[in-house]
Amino acid sequence: MTASPSDTAATSLEELAAALAEAVGGSYEFAHGTAKVRVEKDRWVESLRAARDDFGLIFFSWLSAVDWSNQVEVGDALTEPVEERYEVIAAVADISTGLIVLFSTDLEKNNPRLASLVGVYAGANWHEREAHEMFGIEFDGHPQLIKLYLPEGFLGHPLRKSYPLLSREVKPWPGKVDVEGMPGQEDEEEPSTENPEA
Amino acid sequence: MTTRLSADQDLVRHLSEVSVSVELQTPDMTLNIGPQHPSTHGVLRLVATVDGERAFNVQPVIGYMHRGYEKLAEVRNYPQITTLVNRIDWVSGYANEVPFIIAAERLLGVEVPERAQFIRLILTEMARIASHLVFNASYPLELGAATPLFFALRERERVLDLLESVTGGRFHPNFNRIGGVKPAQGAGSATRKVIQDLPKGFLAETRAAMDKVLATVNELEALVAGNEIILARTKGIGLIPPETAAAYGMSGPNLRASGVGFDLRKVSDYLPYGQFDFRVPTGANGDCWDRWWVRLEETRQSASIIQQAIDSIPAGPLLAKVPKIIKIPKGEIYVRAENPKGEMGYYLVSDGGLGPYRLKIRSASFSNLSILPWILEGTLIPDIIAIMGSLDFVLGDVDR
């Protein structure tokens, strides 16, 4: 095999993350080839502006959130309890070297608010609208914070861990073995044709 | 006769007075395009304010194809998720699986056999050729040239048949497994000793098919590049400067058409692209023409990569040894790949369970499309079609 670019890229990525963390007054993590810089939410826009202007990370890749929650309606609960919060993540890259850095900040569960990045990266517009409708995060200073995918009037924030998955409410997942029961077996009932409302 | 003439003169005088005394009004009109309009590549809706022949304040309305894969992934286990993700960009379904499966493998810490990596690379490039051929079929059609469609789709059919022969699926292959690719069918209880590998003759057939793809690409270029109407409708239309493209997260051929030689195949090591010799075509102006040309040239490069990979593919197993029930250790990772539409990435957060705690899907078309309000501001209405077509998006890749 020819020399893989990963070794040199990995060291320079970690160095970049360390330099960024120092410049914006945050901390950084580097694992599995992924560099993440944690910043305070008050310094969110300022940090990303510094990343763009001083470090050449001009490419806005994506923005989204993780709902860290101990009570989950869908999926498996966390094995260890965490501090409940929304973690907002923005990924920005340098298109001359290809290095990508994730910026992350924590928001409280009650009334999560964050300053909008649209003034720094125009591409943040749609990503913030998506995070707004999916997680209920308010982005202050966003020019048009309306729903993106969901119809107007849709209630709830579907990607929150507290939001149930309706198809699972109607029919539970068959379980570990991904096979449905044979017709007529056990509690298999004919679908009712009667109107339940009547 | 004289009365008639004087009546006409009266009318002319009257009209000339109207034109000077009353200012002509051109009230703004709201024009709705889609979501079922054929030029929108699916179910995209545009609401534009039209002043004469020009469009202003164009607002894309998306979400008609939103299937909630990020939520569904939270209740699926890892092997089940590949069936979801190859439906994101269905024009190149295979390519969507690759970055997800690599993210899971890297968190699990499993070493993928080299032969499996080569097969992934070959199939990814075939998916790229299929995707770019669809673009080469549909884009000239939108500009009024019907013939390239038949050339391009005939060739794409050849590629899809080959994909089907090895994966069993033309659009949704679901061919990747954590630790490698799916071994070939037919190893029943009586034939358990059969060496599990690709179907016989697949590599030789694919190599020969690539020569035909290259020949067709030449034909397509001859058909389109000399067409005066297409030149007039694409050259200098829909210019995107590189800084704007980057700020909107525009990636893939659209970004390279703006002159940025950014290609994840060159700077990332998700597949062994470093072993092959290929060029990254870039455009000079960032107009619709460049976006067409970059994709055409990339098709050639992909065919060449496939031939090089087939010539040097090592022997060996297709699947690493992995546990039957796969639990991914705690951790988070972001893996991206150069997909036909641009950067496709998965941010995977695992809590040590059978499925992800959170899976963020970064799809290329979403960011590529988000530039529409900026680029369509003040354009002529016919140019909307030319510009949208040149961005080569798939609504499944936008809505996820």
Side-chain angles (χ1 to χ4, degrees):
Chain A
M1 277 185 82
T2 47
S4 151
S6 64
D7 298 335
T8 50
T11 41
S12 54
L13 178 58
E14 193 170 0
E15 279 165 16
L16 175 65
L20 273 165
E22 204 189 326
V24 301
S27 60
Y28 81 96
E29 297 162 15
F30 183 77
H32 307 292
T34 307
K36 189 154 101 176
V37 177
R38 289 182 178 277
V39 296
E40 291 295 318
K41 68 171 180 178
D42 303 335
R43 306 195 62 182
W44 180 246
V45 176
E46 178 192 335
S47 304
L48 269 296
R49 184 171 283 126
R52 182 193 69 179
D53 295 342
D54 305 338
F55 291 87
L57 302 169
I58 61 164
F59 181 82
F60 186 82
S61 183
W62 54 272
L63 179 143
S64 193
V66 181
D67 178 4
W68 292 101
S69 189
N70 293 317
Q71 292 285 321
V72 300
E73 285 288 330
V74 288
D76 298 327
L78 289 164
T79 47
E80 292 164 27
V82 289
E83 188 200 331
E84 296 223 335
R85 62 191 197 274
Y86 293 109
E87 183 184 1
V88 176
I89 299 166
V92 288
D94 180 345
I95 44 175
S96 57
T97 60
L99 300 178
I100 188 161
V101 177
L102 274 49
F103 279 80
S104 130
T105 190
D106 289 338
L107 304 179
E108 65 275 24
K109 276 271 171 160
N110 272 333
N111 189 20
R113 300 191 84 88
L114 191 63
S116 169
L117 285 179
V118 174
V120 187
Y121 296 99
N125 190 321
W126 282 20
H127 292 267
E128 287 181 353
R129 278 172 67 186
E130 190 189 0
H132 170 68
E133 66 177 2
M134 293 293 170
F135 291 94
I137 297 167
E138 295 293 328
F139 289 93
D140 295 324
H142 190 288
Q144 197 189 13
L145 200 59
I146 55 170
K147 287 197 163 67
L148 180 70
Y149 291 132
L150 302 172
E152 279 305 315
F154 188 95
L155 289 177
H157 305 290
L159 279 180
R160 283 186 176 177
K161 286 283 178 180
S162 59
Y163 191 91
L165 189 63
L166 278 179
S167 55
R168 282 294 153 83
E169 301 289 308
V170 175
K171 188 174 187 292
W173 192 239
K176 270 183 189 163
V177 182
D178 188 13
V179 180
E180 300 201 7
M182 295 296 283
Q185 235 181 18
E186 289 170 32
D187 50 15
E188 188 85 358
E189 278 177 34
E190 284 292 307
S192 170
T193 49
E194 284 170 51
N195 183 359
E197 304 283 310
Chain B
M1 191 70 196
T2 46
T3 40
R4 172 82 193 275
L5 191 66
S6 77
D8 278 0
Q9 281 168 340
D10 282 351
L11 183 66
V12 166
R13 197 179 310 120
H14 174 68
L15 282 176
S16 63
E17 276 167 11
V18 167
S19 67
V20 288
S21 62
V22 182
E23 201 168 316
L24 284 172
Q25 296 285 320
T26 54
D28 289 348
M29 188 179 84
T30 304
L31 179 69
N32 181 65
I33 308 169
Q36 310 293 353
H37 195 270
S39 79
T40 57
H41 293 245
V43 281
L44 172 70
R45 184 177 156 218
L46 296 177
V47 183
T49 306
V50 181
D51 181 6
E53 274 292 294
R54 293 194 180 270
F56 295 91
N57 189 23
V58 183
Q59 293 300 326
V61 181
I62 61 172
Y64 296 95
M65 194 57 77
H66 188 246
R67 293 148 293 176
Y69 285 159
E70 294 182 13
K71 186 77 171 179
L72 288 176
E74 292 176 8
V75 293
R76 297 280 195 279
N77 60 37
Y78 289 102
Q80 291 169 334
I81 290 173
T82 50
T83 55
L84 294 182
V85 299
N86 65 30
R87 281 157 174 79
I88 293 174
D89 168 14
W90 51 73
V91 180
S92 58
Y94 181 82
N96 300 327
E97 298 174 15
V98 174
F100 168 73
I101 216 84
I102 292 175
E105 281 162 354
R106 287 189 177 168
L107 271 187
L108 187 64
V110 59
E111 190 72 30
V112 182
E114 216 178 331
R115 187 174 177 83
Q117 292 197 27
F118 269 65
I119 292 169
R120 280 181 184 171
L121 186 146
I122 291 168
L123 296 182
T124 301
E125 291 309 312
M126 284 168 75
R128 189 183 320 277
I129 290 176
S131 171
H132 284 358
L133 284 173
V134 170
F135 171 78
N136 264 298
S138 64
Y139 190 49
L141 186 72
E142 280 163 13
L143 301 178
T147 317
L149 175 105
F150 301 104
F151 285 69
L153 288 192
R154 181 195 66 198
E155 216 50 49
R156 175 199 183 223
E157 205 56 28
R158 202 192 307 280
V159 175
L160 288 184
D161 283 348
L162 283 164
L163 264 175
E164 187 185 12
S165 76
V166 63
T167 66
R170 286 153 53 84
F171 282 74
H172 307 304
N174 198 24
F175 190 61
N176 283 293
R177 300 288 180 269
I178 291 177
V181 293
K182 181 180 139 197
Q185 296 282 335
S189 56
T191 54
R192 195 162 281 170
K193 289 280 173 224
V194 167
I195 297 165
Q196 300 195 324
D197 199 11
L198 294 172
K200 222 176 168 186
F202 167 74
L203 291 176
E205 271 177 52
T206 306
R207 204 185 189 295
M210 288 308 123
D211 286 331
K212 293 188 174 135
V213 167
L214 287 168
T216 301
V217 169
N218 289 340
E219 282 180 317
L220 281 170
E221 185 169 28
L223 263 173
V224 176
N227 186 317
E228 254 181 69
I229 297 170
I230 287 191
L231 288 172
R233 292 206 54 190
T234 56
K235 284 240 174 190
I237 304 294
L239 290 165
I240 305 177
E243 307 80 35
T244 312
Y248 276 95
M250 186 179 250
S251 53
N254 292 328
L255 179 64
R256 290 192 281 276
S258 294
V260 181
F262 177 54
D263 190 320
L264 288 167
R265 292 177 292 178
K266 289 285 190 193
V267 296
S268 182
D269 64 339
Y270 66 103
L271 285 175
Y273 282 105
Q275 305 189 16
F276 308 116
D277 180 30
F278 66 99
R279 285 194 309 112
V280 177
T282 53
N285 306 313
D287 55 7
C288 292
W289 171 259
D290 282 343
R291 290 192 278 277
W292 173 81
W293 180 82
V294 162
R295 287 192 179 86
L296 190 86
E297 188 57 32
E298 278 188 11
T299 316
R300 289 198 179 105
Q301 298 298 322
S302 291
S304 154
I305 294 171
I306 290 172
Q307 292 188 330
Q308 293 175 47
I310 288 173
D311 289 342
S312 59
I313 186 168
L318 296 190
L319 206 52
K321 281 204 164 34
V322 285
K324 227 172 191 167
I325 293 172
I326 293 170
K327 283 189 170 181
I328 305 277
K330 209 172 183 166
E332 41 197 79
I333 188 168
Y334 179 63
V335 172
R336 61 209 162 126
E338 186 66 43
N339 271 24
K341 306 277 188 293
E343 175 185 334
M344 171 117 200
Y346 294 89
Y347 178 65
L348 173 63
V349 181
S350 174
D351 188 49
L354 295 167
Y357 181 75
R358 169 96 173 96
L359 181 70
K360 159 69 190 167
I361 303 168
R362 194 273 184 209
S363 61
S365 297
F366 180 78
S367 295
N368 289 354
L369 197 69
S370 71
I371 203 170
L372 272 188
W374 182 85
I375 193 177
L376 293 184
E377 186 67 19
T379 54
L380 292 169
I381 292 167
D383 287 348
I384 293 182
I385 308 300
I387 292 168
M388 280 207 310
S390 76
L391 294 176
D392 188 28
F393 54 86
V394 163
L395 261 294
D397 200 30
V398 175
D399 288 354
R400 308 189 300 276

